[in-house]
Amino acid sequence: MEDSGEIRLQKVLAQAGVASRRRSEELMASGRVEVNGEIVTRLGIRVDPLRDVIRVDGRRVPPPTEHAYLMLNKPRGVVSTMSDEQGRPDLQQFVDGRPERLFHVGRLDTDTSGLLILTNDGDLAHRLAHPSFEITKTYVALVQGQVPSGLGRRLREGVELEDGPARVDRFTVRDRGRGRSLVELDIHIGRNRIVRRLLDEVGHPVIELTRTAFGPLRLGDLKVGALRDLSRDERGDLFDSVGA
């Protein structure tokens, strides 16, 4: 009789949609499956999918869950709340009809578009939002003025704001023209309107701002206003990013 909570590894892989049980056994036999950092080839091994960290070809297989994990490309003009007391457009319009009670991870300013995570997994949401995990976000910004070549270095070294110093992790100029510049930056600081305040402080106010990545997640070609479930690999990468 199987131990409580433990089932055969090939069954876990099949239930996760990795492969059929037979194919999962082949993956194990070829040394492509690991549990808690150890390669597993013995077919009879049992695991607890809620506790053990399972990987195939190095990719995390997320534990089975009834939680929902979604990505929204939030349009500009929508507030990051499920219900706005002032009657402004909010996130509820995108999740109407779903059975879960969803909430957003972090927030995007009303005038900022892009990647927003929606879930009902409170533990993961807390980890993703907590400063100690230093989750990196990527933004693309259209700014006023011709950005000089030395601005990236200045922003990486740090700029003093009214609530303390702030810096970016990466800064790239993607295009310049007609008194405007298109820039891309990585930042792990989560303070209010931090990207806009940083760029304004260095003399290049933001015209348009979009978040294109959140940790391991990429917005890709998801259309503005569209919502989709995260894939198995995306969920696994997200769990890995916060050690869940």
Side-chain angles (χ1 to χ4, degrees):
M1 184 175 181
E2 295 181 349
D3 295 335
S4 176
E6 294 191 346
I7 58 179
R8 291 183 183 274
L9 178 55
Q10 56 264 49
K11 182 178 179 180
V12 174
L13 297 178
Q15 290 177 338
V18 174
S20 67
R21 288 200 198 186
R22 184 182 180 115
R23 176 58 180 156
S24 295
E25 291 174 354
E26 294 174 355
L27 293 174
M28 294 168 62
S30 60
R32 296 169 61 185
V33 181
E34 61 181 76
V35 178
N36 299 328
E38 299 291 333
I39 293 177
V40 173
T41 57
R42 183 167 59 88
L43 298 184
I45 188 172
R46 294 186 176 95
V47 297
D48 182 343
L50 297 179
R51 294 173 180 257
D52 294 319
V53 176
I54 303 167
R55 300 182 189 277
V56 177
D57 293 333
R59 298 300 299 266
R60 175 79 175 268
V61 178
T65 180
E66 295 180 357
H67 289 132
Y69 305 92
L70 304 108
M71 178 192 300
L72 170 69
N73 188 347
K74 186 189 85 68
R76 286 190 295 273
V78 174
V79 294
S80 293
T81 181
M82 287 298 176
S83 179
D84 183 61
E85 295 179 354
Q86 301 178 38
R88 295 171 296 180
D90 55 40
L91 301 176
Q92 187 60 44
Q93 63 183 298
F94 304 105
V95 299
D96 276 342
R98 292 195 65 99
E100 312 92 350
R101 184 176 179 274
L102 298 165
F103 48 88
H104 55 285
V105 177
R107 64 186 302 276
L108 285 175
D109 300 329
T110 303
D111 47 0
T112 298
S113 63
L115 198 163
L116 194 63
I117 300 172
L118 303 178
T119 186
N120 56 357
D121 185 340
D123 179 63
L124 181 66
H126 172 74
R127 288 170 178 255
L128 289 170
H130 200 281
S132 65
F133 289 98
E134 297 189 338
I135 301 297
T136 298
K137 294 94 172 176
T138 301
Y139 292 85
V140 173
L142 180 65
V143 302
Q144 295 179 16
Q146 297 282 324
V147 172
S149 58
L151 184 62
R153 179 177 179 180
R154 180 182 175 189
L155 288 170
R156 289 191 299 271
E157 290 177 345
V159 174
E160 190 69 33
L161 301 177
E162 66 272 13
D163 56 350
R167 65 178 183 85
V168 304
D169 303 314
R170 181 182 64 88
F171 184 85
T172 303
V173 180
R174 294 175 50 173
D175 194 19
R176 296 184 180 93
R178 298 185 179 181
R180 297 180 174 185
S181 301
L182 188 67
V183 302
E184 182 177 82
L185 60 92
D186 292 344
I187 189 168
H188 65 265
I189 301 170
R191 280 143 54 185
N192 186 41
R193 299 176 68 85
I194 187 65
V195 174
R196 292 178 181 276
R197 290 193 290 126
L198 263 175
L199 292 172
D200 187 65
E201 181 66 26
V202 296
H204 296 280
V206 170
I207 301 170
E208 294 181 6
L209 183 64
T210 301
R211 183 159 70 195
T212 59
F214 188 111
L217 302 183
R218 299 292 180 269
L219 192 61
D221 57 2
L222 187 65
K223 294 181 179 179
V224 175
L227 179 76
R228 69 168 177 83
D229 290 285
L230 298 186
S231 69
R232 182 187 69 238
D233 285 345
E234 286 174 328
R235 287 186 284 117
D237 290 344
L238 204 57
F239 274 66
D240 270 351
S241 70
V242 291

